[in-house]
Amino acid sequence: MLTILFLTFFVLLLINMPIAFALGIATAVTLLTDPVLPINSIVTRAFVGVDSFTLLAIPFFIIAGELMNACGITERIVAFARSLVGFIRGGLAHVSIVSSMFFAGISGSATADASALGSMIIPAMKKNGFDADYAVAVNASSSAIGPIIPPSIMMVIYGSIANVSIASLFLAGFVPGIAMGLGLMGVAYYIAKKRNYPAPPRSELPPILGSLKEAALALLMPIIILGGIFSGVFTATEAGVVAVAYAAIIGTFVYKTLSFKLVGTLLIDAAVTTAAAMFLIAMATSFAWLLAWAGFGAAVLGVLGGISSNPTVALMLIVLFILILGLFIEGIPILIIFTPVLLPVIQGLGIDPVFFGVIMVLSVVIGSVTPPVGILTYISCAIGGITISQAMRGLVPFCAVLVFVLFLCVLFPPLVMTVPAIFGN
């Protein structure tokens, strides 16, 4: 069964079949060859995969991100980040990274960060004398922070599968997300100094207080969302509704950039994005169920147990496995397929499922940067007007830092779990 499932899936990927269809077709073909399981199992398992109150947060966060971007929030966040770090050597690179850290608290999506911020910053960096491969690498790698700093769509998906607290996952993402940002800024500074990139003097930058005033309402949004979740006022799903209402109010009555016509277009775009995401989740859930039925989890546990009984060593092997998968498969399918398979394994090793969730999300978002399937790199290359191979020179050191932060979190769990412990989660 497993042979047919994996063989069909990878053959379909090799002929460039969209991954959601590859997952669904591979599952259907395997069920047709099995005398025990009925073919309609794929439909029932797909329905179970999306029939979750928690997953309602996804369309609301997508809509909120679309509304906030249409309101001109992106420009205000970039201006504020520029006033903070634009004077450092390689200034616009640091602006890109810090903007991604702020924007992560609004969109919860890496692809939203890559497209919204990249369309502004990559052309500006090229115009100011930065090499295209550097601009693309900075945008692609910094966009990976989006699903780590809360709120995070990927953490919502993991929490719904693993049945763990979304609030705890959000809290656990703070330190790793900030560590990623600081690490990327260190690499950006080193390369900027090596390539002799300039930075404008402080006098040419907008004043910090003025830019903060302009961006204050945007920066207040994640505070309201996270404060409401952590205080217990509303759930993560209800937080999505609050985010949409907040974005609509400030866009209509404060910034006055939203119209009924524009809102209609944004809702259609958000509906298309949501439908694609939900179809992917449904097909990945069916695929994951078939893996579990075939005993893939027990096989993984047996292999890991045969190599080492040390939880840290086992977790590092799992991370390496996920990183390799990320070279060929998108992040969300990996998360949905392997979370239910690996959860019994990590629980048997005594690893906290919240800690494992953050490690899983970190691992799959790094896969979103690394070619040949790295969607964040593809988006950034399209904006920068270069090929993936041209971007590789600049991408390697930034990916190395992301991997370093990941293994640092694996080796030192308090980096992930201290903040949830402080807040009693």
Side-chain angles (χ1 to χ4, degrees):
M1 178 182 286
L2 286 176
T3 303
I4 296 172
L5 184 66
F6 283 118
L7 184 62
T8 308
F9 175 63
F10 283 110
V11 167
L12 291 172
L13 284 185
L14 286 174
I15 62 173
N16 291 323
M17 176 77 70
I19 190 163
F21 289 97
L23 290 166
I25 293 171
T27 304
V29 168
T30 307
L31 288 172
L32 286 171
T33 60
D34 187 89
V36 177
L37 298 173
I39 184 63
N40 62 2
S41 299
I42 188 173
V43 178
T44 56
R45 300 314 302 182
F47 177 77
V48 168
V50 296
D51 184 25
S52 168
F53 176 75
T54 305
L55 291 181
L56 282 174
I58 294 175
F60 286 115
F61 279 126
I62 290 172
I63 295 169
E66 294 276 1
L67 290 173
M68 294 295 276
N69 194 34
C71 291
I73 295 301
T74 306
E75 292 86 346
R76 289 173 170 85
I77 288 177
V78 170
F80 178 53
R82 190 163 175 259
S83 70
L84 287 177
V85 297
F87 64 93
I88 304 173
R89 183 181 285 273
L92 283 173
H94 302 291
V95 171
S96 176
I97 295 165
V98 172
S99 297
S100 290
M101 294 171 74
F102 287 138
F103 206 72
I106 295 174
S107 69
S109 166
T111 52
D113 290 12
S115 55
L117 294 173
S119 60
M120 287 185 58
I121 294 179
I122 291 176
M125 290 181 72
K126 291 174 66 178
K127 185 178 179 181
N128 282 271
F130 293 88
D131 293 325
D133 69 308
Y134 180 75
V136 164
V138 168
N139 187 70
S141 57
S142 63
S143 299
I145 302 172
I148 309 302
I149 294 179
S152 165
I153 290 174
M154 281 193 176
M155 288 185 183
V156 170
I157 293 172
Y158 174 85
S160 68
I161 297 170
N163 196 28
V164 298
S165 166
I166 305 294
S168 295
L169 289 167
F170 282 0
L171 286 168
F174 271 112
V175 173
I178 293 170
M180 290 170 69
L182 294 176
L184 292 174
M185 289 181 71
V187 173
Y189 177 82
Y190 172 77
I191 296 175
K193 192 172 182 180
K194 188 176 179 180
R195 297 189 187 182
N196 200 29
Y197 292 142
R202 171 73 83 174
S203 58
E204 295 182 11
L205 300 175
I208 293 177
L209 289 179
S211 59
L212 175 59
K213 184 179 178 180
E214 287 291 318
L217 288 174
L219 299 175
L220 191 61
M221 180 178 171
I223 295 173
I224 293 173
I225 293 172
L226 300 177
I229 294 172
F230 300 151
S231 63
V233 175
F234 43 72
T235 65
T237 303
E238 292 163 344
V241 180
V242 172
V244 172
Y246 181 81
I249 289 170
I250 67 168
T252 304
F253 300 108
V254 181
Y255 297 145
K256 298 180 180 178
T257 53
L258 288 182
S259 64
F260 283 110
K261 183 178 180 181
L262 180 59
V263 169
T265 302
L266 293 176
L267 289 176
I268 291 172
D269 291 342
V272 171
T273 304
T274 301
M278 288 301 183
F279 180 65
L280 181 57
I281 290 171
M283 293 300 98
T285 301
S286 297
F287 192 93
W289 166 75
L290 200 54
L291 278 183
W293 176 271
F296 185 76
V300 171
L301 183 59
V303 171
L304 291 175
I307 296 173
S308 174
S309 59
N310 185 300
T312 303
V313 174
L315 185 57
M316 291 182 75
L317 291 173
I318 290 172
V319 166
L320 284 172
F321 173 66
I322 299 298
L323 288 175
I324 293 170
L325 276 179
L327 296 172
F328 309 102
I329 305 175
E330 293 175 23
I332 289 179
I334 293 175
L335 201 65
I336 297 169
I337 292 167
F338 290 99
T339 293
V341 171
L342 293 173
L343 268 177
V345 177
I346 64 105
Q347 288 170 340
L349 293 169
I351 298 172
D352 190 297
V354 171
F355 172 68
F356 180 69
V358 175
I359 297 301
M360 274 286 285
V361 173
L362 272 167
S363 302
V364 298
V365 296
I366 292 173
S368 299
V369 181
T370 51
V373 177
I375 184 64
L376 302 181
T377 302
Y378 274 105
I379 292 171
S380 301
C381 284
I383 297 170
I386 63 173
T387 63
I388 293 289
S389 58
Q390 290 172 322
M392 285 302 297
R393 180 173 75 111
L395 203 59
V396 170
F398 290 98
C399 287
V401 167
L402 295 178
V403 173
F404 174 77
V405 171
L406 168 61
F407 280 102
L408 201 64
C409 292
V410 171
L411 293 172
F412 301 100
L415 290 174
V416 177
M417 300 305 295
T418 296
V419 176
I422 290 171
F423 283 86
N425 283 271

